[in-house]
Amino acid sequence: MHHLFHLWVYLETSPLLGLTATLAVYTVAVGLARRLRFHPLANPVLVAIALLALLLAAGRVPYSVYFQGAQYVHFLLGPATVALAVPMYANLRRIHAAARAILPAILAGSLASAMSAILIARLLGAPRLVVLSLAPKSVTTPIAMGIAEQIGGQPSLAAVFVLLTGLLASILALPLLRRVGVRDWRALGLAAGTAGHGLATAQLLLQSETAGAFGGLAIGLNGVITALIVPPLAAWLSPF
Amino acid sequence: MLQGLTMLLICQFAGEILARGLFLPVPGPVLGMLLLLTGLAIRGRQGKTAPGVKQAAEGLLSHLGLLFVPAGVGVITEIDVLAGNWIAVAAALLGSTIAGLLVTGVVMQRLAKPEM
């Protein structure tokens, strides 16, 4: 017993636990998704998060202890954002050809996401902190956390909203847009990237390289646009 | 692979320094992405490719979902706030995601000319 206690003390102070658990559980979740033929509800990210949350609760491991190890995975979001330049460059000619459609589409989608999130949350009586953390939720995690902090929201809450938004968008993107007659992979990818950042883009990338490239472009451009429009929008729409 | 990963980090590093040094409202990694895109375009004009960067980028992007897991598990630290406002949060997330998808997709499809 004494021995086990020492082992636990070691694991609690070492990054090994959080890092190994994250990779192992995600691998299991990907295997499960493959077995269920990539059904949207078997989304490996969603499954992995649910399993890890349950494991932490069962073992009474605080999130800060888990994050000591998981931070190494989290850190890679930065280089991965930079890496989006590669699929963008591969499709530069096609992106250039459609530039006049891309900018208005992302700008309109970005405004629609942020304004509707703020207004719906306000209308239903959410507190200021929640409303301000919802405003940047359609961009990729590091950007959203930065914006939330800047406008007086809570970065960790924003990270959760970003994730839930990405999951919703990866489930809804194809059925919803096909129902209203959007079939162009460029438009599908752009919508997924604008409304659901990397998570929804990764889901479409499994089916179309074109969607992946336009999604990557949308993640980057929407990140820039949202960083510019959300602070004034939040000041205007949430004056309480 | 190692070269490519180093290049991605250098771009992010330069992006962070630019963003913080010039007080730009744009996050460092996004500037880093634009720097890498510029770099790739310049090399491309000289007829050169960057196989290392391509390999590192594809490696990272093929496991993009994994990278969201640690922040997502953070949901357990916000359970109280979420439980207290779950109707407003659920409605705002669902409504705004649908709005964002529809507006972007429909505008893009209407404005983009079909490709040859």
Side-chain angles (χ1 to χ4, degrees), chain A residues 177-224:
Chain A
L177 287 166
R178 283 189 170 149
R179 180 164 287 195
V180 296
V182 177
R183 283 168 208 285
D184 186 332
W185 278 112
R186 296 173 298 169
L188 290 166
L190 207 73
T194 304
H197 56 88
L199 217 47
T201 303
Q203 178 90 8
L204 289 201
L205 186 60
L206 295 172
Q207 295 185 47
S208 156
E209 182 122 325
T210 302
F214 280 78
L217 175 74
I219 296 167
L221 279 178
N222 190 30
V224 177

Side-chain angles (χ1 to χ4, degrees), chain A residues 132-177:
Chain A
L132 292 177
S133 307
L134 273 166
K137 48 124 227 153
S138 57
V139 297
T140 191
T141 309
I143 305 178
M145 290 175 82
I147 298 172
E149 190 163 28
Q150 191 192 343
I151 61 176
Q154 191 166 317
S156 58
L157 206 52
V160 172
F161 293 151
V162 167
L163 180 97
L164 293 171
T165 298
L167 290 172
L168 278 175
S170 45
I171 294 168
L172 293 174
L174 286 184
L176 185 73
L177 287 166

Side-chain angles (χ1 to χ4, degrees), chain A residues 12-38:
Chain A
E12 278 218 314
T13 51
S14 146
L16 196 58
L17 181 69
L19 190 54
T20 313
T22 305
L23 290 175
V25 170
Y26 186 73
T27 309
V28 170
V30 169
L32 189 73
R34 197 164 287 153
R35 195 164 285 189
L36 296 173
R37 297 188 184 166
F38 296 101

Side-chain angles (χ1 to χ4, degrees), chain A residues 34-109:
Chain A
R34 197 164 287 153
R35 195 164 285 189
L36 296 173
R37 297 188 184 166
F38 296 101
H39 188 278
L41 287 178
N43 184 301
V45 181
L46 181 66
V47 172
I49 289 167
L51 285 176
L52 281 164
L54 284 175
L55 280 175
L56 293 191
R60 301 203 173 176
V61 180
Y63 180 67
S64 55
V65 169
Y66 163 76
F67 197 73
Q68 263 181 29
Q71 63 174 318
Y72 299 103
V73 174
H74 180 73
F75 172 78
L76 292 176
L77 276 172
T81 306
V82 177
L84 288 169
V86 168
M88 267 164 79
Y89 175 66
N91 285 276
L92 207 54
R93 205 163 287 180
R94 303 175 64 197
I95 289 169
H96 193 73
R100 285 188 185 187
I102 289 172
L103 274 176
I106 296 180
L107 188 63

